[in-house]
Amino acid sequence: MITIKKEEILKNYGKSIENTGDSKVQVILFTYRINHLSNHLKNNKKDFNTERALVKLVGRRKKLLKYIEKHDINNYKALIKDLGLRK
């Protein structure tokens, strides 16, 4: 079952709701989850399991961004600008 936020992201950035394997969509979903976990950790500083999961997600997003940068630099620049990841 797809959550409402995930469905909204897929409608805006994906070609269809079923297209969850696209690397651009995966980066956007990872960014949403990273922001959610970061806010959780601000309130729960001793939740080390969530902290570890956050570090793993950041690593996975970094690998996908490298892949996108290598294959389509224009798509990469647009994605970075949309998500506000780098300045």
Side-chain angles (χ1 to χ4, degrees):
M1 188 164 132
I2 297 177
T3 62
I4 296 170
K5 183 64 178 175
K6 185 175 179 181
E7 188 174 307
E8 179 184 323
I9 289 171
L10 290 173
K11 282 182 184 176
N12 292 339
Y13 295 101
K15 295 174 183 158
S16 70
I17 292 179
E18 292 84 24
N19 189 14
T20 58
D22 186 28
S23 55
K24 181 179 176 181
V25 173
Q26 285 183 7
V27 168
I28 295 167
L29 289 173
F30 284 161
T31 302
Y32 172 72
R33 287 178 58 200
I34 287 168
N35 291 337
H36 178 73
L37 291 177
S38 296
N39 290 333
H40 171 77
L41 284 173
K42 287 178 185 175
N43 297 328
N44 303 290
K45 297 182 189 305
K46 293 188 178 185
D47 190 355
F48 300 115
N49 291 326
T50 301
E51 186 177 354
R52 182 172 186 269
L54 177 65
V55 170
K56 288 175 74 173
L57 273 177
V58 170
R60 289 171 65 186
R61 181 179 70 179
K62 183 178 178 183
K63 287 179 186 178
L64 277 173
L65 284 171
K66 277 186 177 180
Y67 172 80
I68 294 171
E69 182 182 22
K70 188 168 95 173
H71 289 285
D72 188 7
I73 190 71
N74 294 328
N75 194 12
Y76 170 77
K77 288 180 181 179
L79 186 62
I80 293 299
K81 185 177 178 183
D82 286 346
L83 296 177
L85 294 179
R86 295 187 179 91
K87 296 179 181 178

